[in-house]
């Protein structure tokens, strides 16, 4: 990608932000199951392990769906056990959110400042909704953002790749999970 030549991927003062990887989206019987998400889950678990092994901060959002506008738009909400995470994490800080944006009315930015984070590696679901909205919000707050292409997923390829292209054009570096893990190891 042309964007990648202009903005190479670097890791510095970094935290991992895992967006909404919960049963609602990731379990076959979840309310909004995303077929194919299993491929991203493996990469997300690899990233979490790499960050936790190096004592780097990991934040996982849980979408609760208590937002009136979103309930009206979608006609449903995330409730009950479907908020349980579908990833293996031991030390992650859990951020509960009620909108697409993980910064909106949460303590995420306070935690990032406390950890002196300057860069976010972002993965999760759905690429074109919560991931993209959070990435744009992080960018306007002054964070450098890396989106992990193979550790995000969406309803289908079209939404996923359209969102990644848009983010790469103006808001984030897009790379692969193995690239991040390799950078963390060096």
């Amino acid at each position: 990608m042309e964007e990648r030549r202009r903005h190479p991927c670097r890791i510095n003062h970094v935290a991992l932000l895992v967006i909404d990887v919960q049963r609602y989206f990731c379990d076959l019987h979840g309310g909004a199951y995303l077929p194919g998400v299993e491929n991203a889950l493996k990469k997300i678990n690899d990233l979490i392990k790499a960050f936790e092994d190096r004592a780097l901060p990991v934040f996982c959002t849980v979408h609760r769906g208590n937002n009136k506008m979103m309930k009206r738009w979608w006609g449903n909400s995330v409730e009950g056990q479907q908020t349980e995470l579908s990833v293996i994490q031991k030390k992650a800080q859990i951020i509960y959110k009620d909108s697409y944006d993980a910064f909106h009315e949460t303590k995420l930015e306070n935690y990032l400042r406390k950890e002196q984070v300057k860069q976010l590696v972002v993965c999760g679901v759905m690429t074109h909704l919560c991931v993209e909205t959070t990435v744009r919000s992080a960018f306007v707050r002054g964070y450098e953002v890396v989106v992990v292409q193979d550790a995000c997923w969406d309803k289908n390829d079209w939404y996923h790749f359209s969102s990644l292209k848009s983010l790469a054009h103006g808001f984030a570096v897009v790379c692969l999970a193995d690239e991040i893990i390799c950078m963390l190891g060096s």
Side-chain angles (χ1 to χ4, degrees):
M1 280 207 252
E2 175 186 329
E3 293 89 355
R4 188 67 187 268
R5 286 190 296 275
R6 291 180 57 213
H7 304 284
C9 189
R10 293 184 191 82
I11 300 296
N12 187 19
H13 302 285
V14 67
L16 179 64
L17 179 57
V18 181
I19 305 290
D20 300 351
V21 180
Q22 60 200 68
R23 290 182 58 202
Y24 188 71
F25 303 108
C26 301
D27 185 284
L28 185 61
H29 303 290
Y33 171 68
L34 303 169
V37 72
E38 296 79 11
N39 298 321
L41 288 176
K42 181 193 178 325
K43 295 296 184 177
I44 293 167
N45 280 317
D46 292 347
L47 286 166
I48 292 171
K49 182 177 182 337
F51 273 74
E52 287 184 346
D53 286 352
R54 289 158 184 84
L56 294 169
V58 176
F59 300 91
C60 294
T61 69
V62 174
H63 186 81
R64 293 185 298 195
N66 294 328
N67 179 297
K68 289 178 191 175
M69 190 64 193
M70 289 180 74
K71 280 183 185 179
R72 193 166 66 199
W73 184 264
W74 294 106
N76 63 17
S77 67
V78 182
E79 295 182 33
Q81 293 185 337
Q82 294 186 340
T83 60
E84 292 175 5
L85 291 174
S86 297
V87 290
I88 301 164
Q89 46 74 37
K90 298 174 188 159
K91 303 171 191 168
Q93 176 70 50
I94 307 300
I95 308 291
Y96 294 95
K97 66 185 192 61
D98 293 315
S99 75
Y100 298 129
D101 183 355
F103 288 92
H104 182 71
E105 296 182 359
T106 72
K107 295 184 179 185
L108 177 58
E109 193 159 20
N110 294 338
Y111 294 134
L112 296 175
R113 284 188 185 143
K114 181 180 174 195
E115 296 286 342
Q116 299 179 341
V117 171
K118 299 191 183 332
Q119 184 180 56
L120 287 174
V121 172
V122 181
C123 59
V125 300
M126 286 193 249
T127 315
H128 82 291
L129 293 174
C130 295
V131 171
E132 184 170 337
T133 303
T134 298
V135 167
R136 289 171 181 256
S137 188
F139 180 87
V140 300
R141 285 174 164 76
Y143 294 97
E144 293 178 20
V145 185
V146 176
V147 177
V148 188
Q149 174 179 324
D150 56 346
C152 290
W153 191 237
D154 213 312
K155 293 173 65 157
N156 59 45
D157 285 346
W158 189 86
Y159 283 113
H160 177 66
F161 289 112
S162 295
S163 182
L164 290 173
K165 185 67 175 168
S166 178
L167 290 172
H169 182 72
F171 302 95
V173 174
V174 177
C175 66
L176 300 172
D178 290 343
E179 291 178 87
I180 297 296
I181 292 167
C182 184
M183 285 183 231
L184 291 173
S186 59

